[in-house]
Structure formats: C-alpha cells, structure tokens
Amino acid sequence: MTTTTMPTARRSAEPTTGPAGGGPSKPRWTFAGTASAVGAVILAVVWLVPLLWALDTSLKPEPETTRTPITWFPQAPTTDAYRSVIDQGDLIRWFLNSTIVSILVTVLTLFVSVLAAYGLSRTTFPGRRLLYGLIIAGILVPPQVLIVPLFQEMTGLGLVDTYWGIVLPQVVEPVMVFVLKKFFDGISRDYEDAARVDGASRWRIVWSVMVPMSRPILVAVGIFTFIGAWNNFLWPFIVTTDPSMMTIPVGLANVQGSYGLRYAQIMASAVLGGLPLLIIYALFQRHVVRGVGDAGIKG
Amino acid sequence: MERPDWKERWAGLFFVAPFLLLFALFMLWPIVSGLWNSFFNTSLAGVKHEFLGLQNWQDLFGDPAVWSSLKNTLVFTAMSTPPLVIVALAMALLANRKGLLGWLLRFSYFAPFVLPATVVTLIWVWIYQPGFGLVNGLLTAGGFAEIDWLNTENRAMLAVVITTVWWTVGFNFLLYLAALQGIPAQIYEAAAIDGAGGRQQLFRITLPLLRRTTGLIVVLQLVASLKIFDQIYLMTDGGPNYATRPIIQYIYETGFTSYRIGYASAISYLFFAIIVIVALAQFKLFSGREETA
C-alpha cells in the first residue's frame, strides 16, 4: 500500500501510459493498437446498450413498447411517458428525499471521518491503538447483518420514517476513517508545525491545513459516499414505510407494480432516477479516477 | 511547545468523539443486541422476551431454507466473481489511454455503477422480457428459441449474474485503472529499449505488477458478492421456487415478514461468521503473496 503525496497525485491525473497492453507504444499504427481500440469501443457499446434501450423505450408511445418484432427506434418519439410519471407519481418527492439524504450522509460522513482520522493520525490519547483496531475491525462488519437490531433501535429512538433514521447509520463508515487516516499519515508534519508556531489550534489545523491538502481524496471519497447513499436500497427500504419518506431506489421499487404493464412509463422513471448520478459522474469523472489512486488502494 | 497537560493528552479523543458516538450507537450496539436477541424468542412488535438459550442456533442447523439460501449465495459468488475480475482487468487495459476516446471508454464502463439497484433492475427485467425484450429479440432474430430468463429455475441466477456484472464491474475496473496508472512509464521505456514488444510488456511487466491489485479486488469482490440481496430481491424476489433466494433475503423475510427476530439474528450471525472467515482467509493469502510479488 502506498500513499501518494500531493504533487505526484496531481501529475497522475491523466494516464501516463499509452495503448496496447498498457505500455507506451512507439509506432503510431500497429495492428495490436488498432485491434485494442476497436475491442474497447465494441465493449463500450455493449455496456451502453441497456441504458440506450431504456431511453429508447421511454420515448415510445405505450403500444409500441410491446410490439414484436421489436422496433429499434421510436416511430413517433413522445415525452408522454415522462409527463405522466411526473404528474401522477411521488417521483419528485422521492427525488427531493434522495437529495436531502445523500447530501446529509456525505457532509456528515466527511465531517466525522476527517475529525476521527486526524485524531488517530496526529494525537496520542490513551486507548488510541485499541480504538483504531476496533474501527479497522468494523470494516469487516457487513451492514446487512445489522438490519434487524438496527431497526429495533430505530423504533426505540422514534426515528423510523425520518431523515435521521435513514441517514445516521450510513454515516458510520470505518473504511473512510481508514483511508483518510492513511492519507493524513502521508502528509508531512512540517506544515502542521509551522501552523502551530503561528498559534493555530488543532481545530484550525484540521480545517486550514489537513483538509485543503487532502482535497483530491476528499472529493473522491465524497463522490463515492454520495453515490453510495443515493443508491442504498436495503436500509432505506427497511426504515421507511411512509411513501412520502421514501428515497428514489425504494420508491421506484414500487413503481413496477403500480404502473402495471406500462413499460414506457417504467423506463421513463428509471431514466429519471438514474440520470442525476450519470450527470454527476460525467462532471467529476477525473476526480473519481484520480481519487481511487490517491486512496492508496492501488497496491 | 509540548504541554503535557490533560488537555493535550485527551485532545485526540475530542476529534474521534463524534465518529465514536455514531460507531457505538449504530454499529457496536446493534452487534451486541443482535447477538443478545439470538438467544431469545423475540417478535418485532412485541417486547416479549422468552429465553431460548441455544434453541435458535440449533434450529438453524436443521432448517433447509438456511442451507439452500446459503447455497444460492455461494453459487452467485462463484459465478459472479471470475467475470467481475477478468472483465474489469480487460476494461482497464483497453481504457488506459488519453484523450476523448479514453474519457468515453471510462464513462461507458463505469456508468452503470452509479445507478441505483432499482433503476438497474427495472431496465434488466425489461430486457429479459419474453416476446418483446431485447435479449429474446436478439435470440429470435438469430434463429434461437426464446428463454423466459427470470422464470426458469436454472436460468434465473445466470440472468442475475449478467446484470450484476454489467452493473458493478465498473468499480473493479477503476481499481485496476488506478493501479495501471501507478506503474511508472520508465519501466516500459526500459523494457522497450531492451526490445520487449507490446505482448511481452503485457505479460512480463503489466500483469505481474497487477498481482497485488488482483488480490485486493478478489477479496473485495468475494465479500461484496456474498452480500447479494438488492438485485435478486428486485428481479426475481428469490424465485422461481426459491432458486435464487440469497441468505440476506432469508434473514430479511425471517425478521420482517415472519417477525422472528431472535431466529433472524442467529442466521445473521452465521452469515457474519462466514464473511469474516472468507475475508480473513483471503487477507492472509493475499499478504502471503505480497512478500513474493
């Protein structure tokens, strides 16, 4: 495991190697190079077809969706399905819930994980090693096995069908603390010492030295947390019973039943449920790829 | 500068405290109370606790549904892990290039990973439809007989695996890509000077250097596959005839539809133990390999 320091992290933002099996190829046009490019594009098309097929279906009038043989493109594209999905459903409400939940999870996870990682990386309080060991062990705990006692706990706390009930258990991410602590360990103490000489408190140091120096990894970790929170199905599914408190994944799970066999509408809601994250990912792709490298998990 | 007073000594705890509080409340406490539950006959609504001792644990070993759902989980893991590692590696090797093409490839390969389980399953249930589904459309166009993928016992799991590979391979792809980009270009330059071609560079440099990453990905993937629930629950609801029901769905049904909390907790712990054993065994194997790599 290596922890990349800042300057190299910035440089490795773009791939440093060329085509053909990972090595930089000297000759411009080789058979292997062309073949790998063609293979890559075919695979990409295969990977995009299900998404395009969903989009394609959502733009068809209802009767055309079940016509055989299947039509590749809508004969008369229409946005009717989108309109009826938005009009009749709780989709906008679920969308709002997902946004609130995902933002809360991301902000809180980053906040508590940064503080904990700093505490574990830069201070020595009694019991620190034991505590770190416990957190590391927590990485092994699958949240899925905790659903039953966690639900009982939430009932006891009166947090069923509340944002906090959905959010709080998702904030406990031992792996975030682990990744951030490793990153902080790699930051030279000189910066911190200089700030302390200037009279900065530890609290100030966290927010004005450590956090700015860890921005790339914090962005990446934040994006993964956001995607994870947006897509989490099992826990919100357990802890919400009121349709108005459901998140997109949970709400959409009911859609198939309630829309019956109106496939264009089902696909329209799938497209609307997936689009926000595709856009976020397209915008932040560089940070995601770079962050995974920075996280030190590249081996 | 160092003030060895109590404030400085305990400063760290102040930083760890918020995480620690949540960690204790939402991880440690449920772990303990789940174990406690497993010795009782507890219903979800009622607070009636009847001490059963090891009864739940004994029942578990004689319950065929535990073993069949466990078997389904293992079958899914065995079927999904190899393609999720191999396809990810192939994608990383293919997409490790600069420019617009590289961007488009990385986008296409990773895009499904950002979608919620429900969106993925809505799309794939549609694709697997008999008659007008895309897969059967292609099969009939090619002169093959159609298959009712999700309602045929020995096809349903394969359908789930295909969907899962499509959906989640992007994460492993990203880990491989990061590893590839971490290999210094000088190694390839030196190899090229020594006369190594693309093929030799791939097999003599790239793949050996990716061994540690492969070990890591296999560990993460095995544990992730064992936790299968969402897509099976949404696509087949464990059917047809329980042929795809994974262990987590059985835990969920025992606890939340049969209201047998104590028994569900006991099954949870069985599953937890399996995850820990697999992870520890893999870590051990993986760290042993590290020294020779």
Side-chain angles (χ1 to χ4, degrees):
Chain A
M1 298 259 195
T2 53
T3 307
T4 321
T5 50
M6 294 277 298
T8 40
R10 202 160 280 146
R11 248 182 281 126
S12 66
E14 281 300 315
T16 48
T17 51
S25 60
K26 284 276 152 68
R28 284 279 149 192
W29 290 101
T30 62
F31 176 73
T34 314
S36 90
V38 171
V41 171
I42 291 173
L43 198 56
V45 170
V46 169
W47 241 249
L48 286 178
V49 158
L51 292 178
L52 297 174
W53 182 239
L55 184 68
D56 179 81
T57 303
S58 72
L59 294 170
K60 288 176 180 174
E62 233 20 276
E64 197 187 330
T65 58
T66 53
R67 192 177 298 161
T68 48
I70 54 178
T71 53
W72 287 104
F73 297 102
Q75 310 289 297
T78 166
T79 54
D80 285 354
Y82 288 90
R83 238 172 286 148
S84 41
V85 163
I86 290 169
D87 284 347
Q88 75 191 37
D90 294 314
L91 201 70
I92 291 173
R93 172 79 205 192
W94 298 333
F95 201 88
L96 209 68
N97 288 342
S98 278
T99 310
I100 293 169
V101 164
S102 307
I103 289 175
L104 278 176
V105 170
T106 308
V107 170
L108 286 175
T109 303
L110 287 176
F111 182 74
V112 301
S113 304
V114 161
L115 287 185
Y118 177 81
L120 292 167
S121 170
R122 289 296 202 267
T123 68
T124 49
F125 56 91
R128 185 183 62 100
R129 278 169 174 277
L130 179 76
L131 186 64
Y132 187 54
L134 203 63
I135 293 173
I136 297 292
I139 295 176
L140 275 182
V141 180
Q144 287 86 343
V145 307
L146 302 181
I147 50 170
V148 174
L150 209 48
F151 181 78
Q152 286 182 305
E153 194 182 341
M154 289 300 170
T155 315
L157 294 170
L159 291 178
V160 173
D161 277 326
T162 65
Y163 287 131
W164 293 118
I166 307 173
V167 166
L168 289 177
Q170 297 190 61
V171 172
V172 184
E173 276 293 357
V175 72
M176 293 298 169
V177 177
F178 172 74
V179 166
L180 291 177
K181 183 202 177 269
K182 269 175 54 72
F183 196 84
F184 288 172
D185 284 347
I187 296 177
S188 164
R189 281 172 188 261
D190 294 348
Y191 300 101
E192 200 176 341
D193 291 341
R196 297 207 93 184
V197 169
D198 291 343
S201 66
R202 282 188 181 277
W203 182 260
R204 272 287 314 255
I205 287 168
V206 171
W207 304 111
S208 342
V209 178
M210 305 304 272
V211 165
M213 294 198 71
S214 326
R215 252 187 63 185
I217 189 159
L218 287 174
V219 170
V221 162
I223 292 168
F224 273 104
T225 309
F226 189 90
I227 294 174
W230 187 281
N231 292 348
N232 194 348
F233 174 72
L234 184 59
W235 178 244
F237 172 68
I238 301 273
V239 82
T240 57
T241 52
D242 176 359
S244 73
M245 282 309 295
M246 288 175 178
T247 56
I248 289 236
V250 182
L252 281 185
N254 301 326
V255 155
Q256 205 164 11
S258 64
Y259 289 175
L261 295 176
R262 279 167 289 180
Y263 291 105
Q265 290 188 28
I266 294 174
M267 286 308 121
S269 52
V271 170
L272 291 176
L275 206 57
L277 285 197
L278 285 177
I279 293 171
I280 290 177
Y281 172 58
L283 292 176
F284 288 100
Q285 198 196 54
R286 286 185 48 184
H287 302 271
V288 173
V289 180
R290 186 202 298 173
V292 169
D294 283 358
I297 32 187
K298 64 189 178 190
Chain B
M1 197 175 73
E2 290 295 324
R3 294 169 303 155
D5 55 51
W6 68 270
K7 223 175 154 181
E8 192 60 25
R9 237 175 96 75
W10 290 95
L13 206 59
F14 165 79
F15 289 103
V16 183
F19 180 83
L20 195 58
L21 180 73
L22 295 170
F23 186 70
L25 265 177
F26 301 117
M27 188 164 270
L28 296 182
W29 171 251
I31 288 176
V32 173
S33 87
L35 187 61
W36 183 247
N37 275 336
S38 74
F39 300 110
F40 289 87
N41 182 10
T42 316
S43 71
L44 195 62
V47 203
K48 261 177 274 161
H49 276 52
E50 184 200 342
F51 185 72
L52 290 180
L54 291 173
Q55 189 62 50
N56 283 330
W57 293 86
Q58 279 171 350
D59 288 354
L60 184 153
F61 287 99
D63 181 355
V66 168
W67 302 106
S68 72
S69 62
L70 199 57
K71 195 197 97 192
N72 290 337
T73 304
L74 295 177
V75 166
F76 172 81
T77 305
M79 282 172 79
S80 62
T81 304
L84 278 167
V85 175
I86 294 163
V87 175
L89 174 62
M91 284 178 161
L93 291 171
L94 290 172
N96 189 19
R97 57 183 83 226
K98 294 181 189 184
L100 184 65
L101 180 62
W103 189 93
L104 283 172
L105 294 173
R106 289 195 294 276
F107 180 83
S108 315
Y109 298 160
F110 189 76
F113 183 79
V114 307
L115 300 174
T118 338
V119 167
V120 169
T121 53
L122 285 175
I123 294 174
W124 279 86
V125 167
W126 166 238
I127 286 176
Y128 287 130
Q129 280 297 321
F132 37 82
L134 185 60
V135 173
N136 283 318
L138 292 176
L139 282 179
T140 46
F144 297 96
E146 357 189 285
I147 296 168
D148 189 356
W149 292 88
L150 297 173
N151 293 309
T152 312
E153 272 188 44
N154 54 359
R155 284 283 183 273
M157 191 62 97
L158 178 65
V160 172
V161 168
I162 291 170
T163 302
T164 306
V165 171
W166 177 79
W167 180 25
T168 60
V169 75
F171 186 73
N172 295 346
F173 153 68
L174 224 53
L175 290 180
Y176 268 129
L177 191 66
L180 277 181
Q181 295 183 358
I183 300 175
Q186 295 96 298
I187 296 182
Y188 292 107
E189 282 156 20
I193 289 168
D194 291 345
R199 241 179 110 92
Q200 275 179 310
Q201 289 183 17
L202 175 65
F203 286 101
R204 296 278 171 80
I205 300 172
T206 312
L207 294 183
L209 284 175
L210 289 177
R211 271 174 70 179
R212 283 189 58 193
T213 307
T214 303
L216 178 73
I217 289 175
V218 170
V219 176
L220 293 176
Q221 189 54 56
L222 282 175
V223 172
S225 284
L226 287 172
K227 293 195 264 189
I228 173 82
F229 169 76
D230 297 4
Q231 57 272 47
I232 288 184
Y233 179 76
L234 293 164
M235 288 174 81
T236 66
D237 194 15
N241 195 23
Y242 303 120
T244 57
R245 180 169 67 179
I247 184 93
I248 291 188
Q249 188 179 338
Y250 189 54
I251 294 171
Y252 163 75
E253 287 169 359
T254 308
F256 292 95
T257 49
S258 309
Y259 303 115
R260 297 176 66 197
I261 295 295
Y263 192 45
S265 300
I267 307 170
S268 299
Y269 269 81
L270 172 75
F271 174 62
F272 190 5
I274 292 169
I275 294 257
V276 170
I277 291 167
V278 168
L280 289 182
Q282 283 292 317
F283 272 121
K284 198 151 182 164
L285 220 79
F286 166 46
S287 54
R289 203 185 297 154
E290 197 176 314
E291 285 149 29
T292 54

